Amino acid sequence: MAPTDRTLDAESQNVTSTSLDEIFGTLANEKRRFTLYYLRERPTTTVDELADVLATKALVDTPTLSLSGYRDEMLIRLDHVHLQKLEAMSLVTYDRETGRVTLAALPPVVESVLDHAMPMERVDLADAFDVEIG
């Protein structure tokens, strides 16, 4: 199948099978995908804001969760797992001292995966991300 405007071959994106496995492995986690969805709308944020967003999204999905407890757990997971994996793939930069998280220039293959996954996950950015935890 020849590449079209909507599909890019691996060679044109400088993607090897190893890096493609790493990309899919990184994007296989819902928290990391939602972090990238959020950062595509707000390219710079804080780890605290991401924890709020992901905890609120989880509460929408599972109303029996304790929001404050889950938010604290999410903050730890973001700091120790998710942001490290995204940073290792050069998808974000994370300044642990300030808590600032910034979206990096995403490779076209990552943009494409996120573009296709987002509607399937029925991500409503307004509902999922425009929240504050007091």
Side-chain angles (χ1 to χ4, degrees), residues 6 49 58 72 99 134:
R6 297 191 59 137
E49 186 171 329
D72 293 342

Side-chain angles (χ1 to χ4, degrees), residues 6-8 13 40 107-117:
R6 297 191 59 137
T7 62
L8 298 171
Q13 296 185 58
R40 287 170 66 183
V109 66
V110 173
E111 289 279 3
S112 180
V113 169
L114 294 175
D115 287 344
H116 286 86

Side-chain angles (χ1 to χ4, degrees), residues 22-79:
E22 291 171 345
I23 289 167
F24 284 135
T26 300
L27 297 178
N29 182 276
E30 178 187 51
K31 304 298 186 256
R32 291 192 285 273
R33 287 192 309 277
F34 273 78
T35 296
L36 292 174
Y37 296 148
Y38 187 76
L39 288 169
R40 287 170 66 183
E41 293 296 315
R42 295 185 178 112
T44 299
T45 190
T46 65
V47 66
D48 287 316
E49 186 171 329
L50 284 171
D52 289 347
V53 166
L54 293 173
T56 302
K57 195 255 180 234
L59 183 64
V60 169
D61 294 343
T62 311
T64 58
L65 282 178
S66 161
L67 185 58
S68 62
Y70 191 76
R71 186 229 180 255
D72 293 342
E73 182 181 329
M74 186 50 51
L75 187 59
I76 292 167
R77 285 184 186 175
L78 281 165
D79 185 49

Side-chain angles (χ1 to χ4, degrees), residues 67-117:
L67 185 58
S68 62
Y70 191 76
R71 186 229 180 255
D72 293 342
E73 182 181 329
M74 186 50 51
L75 187 59
I76 292 167
R77 285 184 186 175
L78 281 165
D79 185 49
H80 293 283
V81 179
H82 301 305
L83 292 176
Q84 286 187 24
K85 288 186 184 246
L86 291 170
E87 193 169 43
M89 293 296 299
S90 300
L91 303 177
V92 303
T93 58
Y94 174 39
D95 183 333
R96 283 167 183 76
E97 287 188 25
T98 64
R100 184 169 304 282
V101 181
T102 304
L103 184 67
L106 297 177
V109 66
V110 173
E111 289 279 3
S112 180
V113 169
L114 294 175
D115 287 344
H116 286 86

